[in-house]
Amino acid sequence: MINSQFFSNCAADSIREAAATLKAGHLVAFPTETVYGLGADARNPEAVKRIYEVKGRPSDHPLIVHISSINQMEKWAKEIPEYAIDLARAFWPGPMTLILKRTEIAQDFITGGQETVGLRVPSDPIAQALIQEFEKISDSAIAAPSANRFGHVSPTSCADVQEELGEYLFGYDLVLDGGRSLIGIESTIIDCTSSSPVILRSGFITKEEIESILEEIGVEQASPYGVKFSGSFEKHYAPKCKVILGESTNTSAGFVALLGIETPRGMARLASPATIEEFAHVLYSTFRKADREGLSELVVHPPKEEGLGVAILERLKKAAQGR
Ligand code: TXA
Ligand code: MG
């Protein structure tokens, strides 16, 4: 059942109404270049509480605060290291989240009680317009996790959001339709609370790209189970069907591989991305397609573990082991 309203024409008046909806303490799901987010006023504890209820997410699991530009950084974060500023200058607006020491404005209900806050400046024009408009009327910013039920696949279209959360949203909540997410997988999360940065979650911004900005100090990749972040729970990014990396003898399975790789006999080809970027772009929609078609197994021919392939494999491994 679909309870919330949705706007497919995100012109200035819709953006103003969406910002007012957030100000009133309601929820607004909105497109970003990575995946769709479920937004609330980051300074309103009741509104943020509803995000957790709608997602079915444990309340100690922190949320990313979405700000309009680098100029808003010092409002939410303090003791910002020089390298974090360099990263922000290089990759914002864009698919990168920085974990920084929080100021008092980032309260426990956002950070899961941690002394750090996650900040991101999205580049999607609808997300940008909404955040700018909301900052204008609120002296706040937008807290938003991916707009899916906890542990499920992130939504990359307005229809995905409706499918995930439609029955949990209320009539005064809103969903903004911005078409398909450009990138299709979540942001790269970088912990900037020590003397050198650590990648907590791989994403569209690769380790190599980060290293090219931070030539001297470099960047580490965290072990996937060290801290509380997306995928540190089992069954993350997982569709209902079983995800198999590599080979399977189940000839009625769905199959995904880069263009040029042959479909094993009997399997149903669900996607043939021509590039690694396209692989990321179609990954989650292919998971959803497999479920819609009622397949019991989805066999994925894994991309090489390099560049953007690292982020895709991180998600595929979680999806495969989370069964
Ligand atoms: O691309 C994205 O990052 C999307 C779009 C909507 O911006 N958002 C997203 O949010 O993926 P979410 O909540 O689904 O995943 C963000 C992850 C969470 O697992 C959370 O634990 C982690 O970021 N995180 C947030 N704040 C953190 C903090 N202070 N310390 C460590 N991890 C944090
Ligand atoms: Mg998520």
Side-chain angles (χ1 to χ4, degrees), residues 55 145-146 148 154 186 201 230 236:
K55 273 191 69 94
S146 52
N148 51 279
S154 295
E186 306 82 354
R201 179 176 74 185
S230 244
H236 227 99

Side-chain angles (χ1 to χ4, degrees), residues 119-136:
L119 297 181
R120 178 159 112 78
V121 179
S123 62
D124 178 275
I126 295 174
Q128 261 296 327
L130 179 65
I131 299 164
Q132 283 178 30
E133 186 66 27
F134 185 58
E135 282 175 349
K136 241 196 275 174

Side-chain angles (χ1 to χ4, degrees), residues 30-39 51-52 55 57 60-66 94-100 102 110-112 114-122 143-148 150 154-155 185-189 191 193 200-201 227-233 236-237 315:
F30 61 98
T32 84
E33 69 279 20
T34 58
V35 300
Y36 275 68
L38 177 65
I51 288 184
Y52 287 89
K55 273 191 69 94
R57 182 184 196 166
D60 63 346
H61 205 88
L63 299 178
I64 297 172
V65 176
H66 294 69
M96 176 185 74
T97 298
L98 300 181
I99 307 297
L100 296 157
R102 66 170 172 179
I110 286 293
T111 72
Q114 302 187 71
E115 289 306 316
T116 57
V117 64
L119 297 181
R120 178 159 112 78
V121 179
S146 52
N148 51 279
F150 183 63
S154 295
I185 57 171
E186 306 82 354
S187 62
T188 307
I189 302 183
D191 183 346
T193 57
L200 299 183
R201 179 176 74 185
V227 274
K228 252 182 247 158
F229 60 92
S230 244
S232 61
F233 290 80
H236 227 99
Y237 314 119
R315 285 153 181 85

